[in-house]
Amino acid sequence: MQAAALKKKYLEFFRSKQHAAIPSASLIPEHDPTVLFTTAGMHPLVPYLMGQPHPRGKRLASVQKCIRTGDIDAVGDAFHLTFFEMLGNWSLGDYFKKEAIQWSYEFLTGKPWLGMDKNRLFITCFKGDKDAPKDAESAKLWEAAGIPKSHIFFLPKEDNWWGPAGETGPCGPDTEMFYDTGREKCGKGCKPGCGCSKYFEIWNDVFMQYEKTKDGSYLSLTQKNVDTGMGVERTAAVLQGKPSVYEIETFQPIIAAIRKQEKKANERSTRIIADHVRAAAFILGDQRHVSPSNIDQGYVLRRLIRRAIRHGLLLGIEHEFLSQLADMVVDMHGEDYPELRNNKEFIRAELIKEDQRFRQTLLKGLQKFSSFAGNLSGADAFLLFQSYGFPMEMTVELAQEKGMSVDTAGFQEEFQKHQQLSRQGAEKRFKGGLADASAETIKLHTATHLLNEALRKVIGKSIVQKGSNITADRLRFDFNLDRKLTAEELRKVEELVNKKIKEALPVRREEMTFKEALAKGAQAEFQAKYEEQVSVYSIGDFSREICGGPHVQNTSELGTFKIIKEEGVAAGVRRIKAVVK
Ligand code: SER
């Protein structure tokens, strides 16, 4: 079964179990400033996993595009990828372990569905520790479904616990499904989860019962959720009896195109290029634009592109070749992700530009590298990064090839020092949205809506939000204006917000289409992308905004609003920082 058929069947199966299929969200998280990329299908759903009602109901399913760079060094083995598609189904306080496990089993083994041999399925469950008990219930449910006891293993938190996706948020024990490829065991202790590719992990059902808080404790969530994730590429490889994800039809044309151009063969390099070019095409082609840069998502993108170019050199490919491969990615996936098609030219142009930039310094950098005798210090690695554009892992790889080591901790120190000097990296990391869903953050979120409207009343209707970032300590709101606000204006804005807080206005949430929301005068963030169905928050008759929440119920919960800073952040963009006390 090909990947496309797998995705179709998955959504069909969960539709038959009353799930609404929702579209893939952006790769750039909207409401979570603690991570750079969407790493799982649950990521865009965090507010709903925390209790906010979802406009499509309590049972959802999706195919989500994901980026994970944590295992970038493992890319090239049988199953690690930086970009992948994830199938997922969710219960938002609706069904729990029993149905989730029954349906996983039915989808995997049922004849009309994937029809896998149940004797090749292996399961892991959470072993239990001081934070949560052993998940014997899940194991029983698997047995009841038809999995023999000898195929069920209990593992600790490192293996069988998922989340939170950022530093705080919903999480819980999980149960993972593995497929026995029939290969030799890697050793005596070989079992599901041991890391060799005998047992291929394909699906993970997470039982989200807890919220991890800032102080590291686990609180019980009032709403018990199910969050599942199945890797499309891995499962397609299993269904096709292929030994690695790179053998499936979405990789093969790319691999063949690389092979056609290479002068020397190196399987790992070919795979790294194929993976990285897919990731780069999807990041460049995302609905929220990202270009190569030296910070945040742009830096990850730059690393992926440059590492792919360097591995191209290892294969003897000395010309620009990624844009052509990216075209193939767009052609293959453009139907499922129309943003790729819309951005095809942008993807090409950015890849070509980055290739030119990098090749300009690459040879000089390689010469510099050869001049280093012995192991590289952090300062050497930072010089290669700063002056020649060598991403850290590239320097490490180069060193490894020559039997040298690199002081990576020293590099990080240099990197931090530099970032503190420019202050840019850290500031920009908090790029919009809420840092967490604590009571303080929620209050400041509602205060941000009041501030937005107060600015429009005091300065003028042309004010639009350009971005926001809210933590438990303060709110930050960016808007368009080409001058400083006067002290008088700041005072008036503050007064108006405090007046609305005193009026104890109710905060109301409604679902409507994006068009209806605009027709009702709801504010939208400048250039943000919205889905067809949106939620709108109104504060009395004072403010109305398209927003995913969460918010307080009444402005009387807020306390006193105080502006602590007003400053310019870019041409025509001002920033206000404020608190409620
Ligand atoms: N969040 C879980 C995972 O990524 C299940 O979706 O594995």
Side-chain angles (χ1 to χ4, degrees), residues 39-40 42 68 86 162 204 206 227-229:
T39 56
M42 57 74 73
R68 284 188 191 177
M86 186 186 270
W162 208 87
N204 182 11
V206 185
D227 152 40
T228 92

Side-chain angles (χ1 to χ4, degrees), residues 382-448:
F382 190 71
L383 176 78
L384 287 171
F385 164 76
Q386 182 76 337
S387 305
Y388 302 96
F390 281 30
M392 181 61 198
E393 55 274 339
M394 196 178 114
T395 302
V396 171
E397 274 178 2
L398 279 165
Q400 274 167 357
E401 284 160 20
K402 296 238 151 58
M404 291 147 66
S405 72
V406 183
D407 177 4
T408 48
F411 171 84
Q412 288 306 339
E413 259 172 51
E414 293 288 331
F415 191 75
Q416 302 285 336
K417 251 196 268 168
H418 173 80
Q419 284 218 324
Q420 268 161 19
L421 288 181
S422 71
R423 292 271 323 133
Q424 224 184 354
E427 270 295 301
K428 286 221 173 141
R429 172 146 294 127
F430 292 96
K431 210 183 169 180
L434 311 186
D436 57 50
S438 66
E440 290 312 310
T441 305
I442 293 172
K443 281 187 203 171
L444 283 162
H445 188 196
T446 308
T448 308

